[in-house]
Amino acid sequence: MKSIALFFAFLFLFSCASSTKTEVDTLVTNATIYTVNAAFEKASAMAIKDGKILAIGNTDSLLKKYTSKTILDYKGKFIYPGLIDAHCHFYGYGLTLQEVDLRGTKSFEEIITRLKAFQKAKNPAFIVGNGWDQNDWAVKKFPSKAALDAAFPNIPVVLNRIDGHAIVVNSKVLQMAGITAKTKADGGQIELQNGAPTGILIDNPMELVFKIIPKPSRKTQIAALLDAEKVMFDYGLTTVNDAGLDPDIIHLIDSLQQAGKMKINVYAMITANQKNMDLYFKKGIYKTNQLNVRSFKMYGDGALGSRGACMHKPYSDSPKQFGALLSPVPQLKAVAQQIANSPFQLNTHAIGDSANTVLLKIYKEVLTGKKDRRWKIEHAQVIQESDFDYFKLGIIPSVQPTHATSDMYWAGDRLGKERLKNAYAYKKLLQKSGTIALGTDFPVEEVNPMLTFHAAVARQDVKGFPKNGFQIENALSREETLKGMTLWAAYSNFEEKEKGSLEVGKWADFVVFDADLMQVVSSQMVKLKPSSTFIKGAKQK
């Protein structure tokens, strides 16, 4: 009888102990979790409730306190905060998935072949392609309209260069857009040969062409966003900073998210034209659990690859070219002043050293006396030595490490040896600013964030070139790189209290890898892909 009584007493105590456990939605156990908190601590378990982290710590400890119908035993796999792309063109990338992909082409002849295949498959009335780069070809010169005219004499063709700062079009497009040798080209260039347009347009004049391209239907816009989202989850991205959106697309993103059809988090930078500024100054900052609309995107200059980046001194390989600002300095300052007088953030594209000088001076002037504004310089690609100290003022460099490894083959030709030393200077920028936000600028570069990680740490291409890294003194450590892709990127978005690290009270946005990013040999980084991606505790991949 004694033993029976003891048995029931034990059973009673066990049931009482069990009933004291807190029920949660998900328990993650036996993992190697990089929390990316202030101490950069590791943990092995997380309890998740209502999309947020309720507890994080030791597996045995959490199993004693919490119970769940969903227990994920990761058997030592590696977990990191959800990855953030601090500068990309998410919607634009989605549109490219509906158009002709020209990335990786090795000649203009290969481009014609791809266009003909697209025409045969789709029979379009208007052809748009994206991603060509003459620097990848044997003859590294801009193409002309001649081959397009021969292949497509009656169908308009517009082909966007990989950096989005130059296009080549055929004669049909020039005719439809009303572009001739006499057309003004302020803030850019209409290339001429023998007194006639070659079909190459750089920066501002491209708008004349964009106006005649048929607008995508709502169905196409939705397909673009949802198709892009699938790619993001495949690579472990949980938040994307879309650098330049119009209100219509922001509203569409919001409606898809509110309807539960779109899960990815979006930090939207509104295109900084007067119409959009007037609208959002009136509306104010708009924030949901998935969408944050609190910044404007402004363009200072063009790109280095098309010699549109605005330089203090001429290009080393083209002594008559300086590039150009896309707007006069007073206009850039007027826009910045309006935004400084509002609660919104300003993020400005600046690549050339002259453009960076202009924008950094404007930032300093209009932000004097204003605290914690976190304005960003997007790209911060070529900086004068005397301008680095501006980043001590709370200005955040938002950079793309794969730009360094994509451009390193020819950047020296453009800039010369001395200017190159202060180009792609990510470590130096971090030392001045204290934070650095990392992205890709996709579709200019590949979406894959592991290419970002590898380029930042090793300063090499995927083949391991150059052997000792390109300007290796500006490599980031693995810890700095992970922070730049998580916590610092979240900070640059005013979202560090809700994401960017795995801590109690933050959203359970995380990504699972089979190998450890912090330990794997650098040559293997580019081969890694996450096995799972979670947003707010829900598995997306």
Side-chain angles (χ1 to χ4, degrees), residues 91 242 244-253 268-273 276 279-280:
Y91 171 64
D242 200 320
L245 286 172
D246 287 326
D248 180 57
I249 299 303
I250 293 172
H251 178 73
L252 177 59
I253 289 170
M269 303 183 204
I270 313 154
T271 300
N273 59 45
N276 290 348
L279 175 65
Y280 275 93

Side-chain angles (χ1 to χ4, degrees), residues 19-36:
S19 65
T20 62
K21 286 187 178 183
T22 301
E23 179 83 20
V24 295
D25 298 325
T26 305
L27 266 175
V28 172
T29 64
N30 297 313
T32 301
I33 303 171
Y34 283 88
T35 65
V36 195

Side-chain angles (χ1 to χ4, degrees), residues 302-354:
L304 197 65
S306 54
R307 297 188 187 87
C310 189
M311 309 300 299
H312 282 293
K313 295 180 180 179
Y315 281 88
S316 297
D317 57 358
S318 185
K320 292 183 179 180
Q321 283 187 274
F322 288 79
L325 292 174
L326 299 185
S327 301
V329 174
Q331 186 176 332
L332 293 171
K333 184 179 176 182
V335 170
Q337 187 64 68
Q338 288 184 72
I339 297 171
N341 293 338
S342 80
F344 285 86
Q345 179 191 55
L346 176 60
N347 305 322
T348 307
H349 167 118
I351 289 183
D353 56 9
S354 180

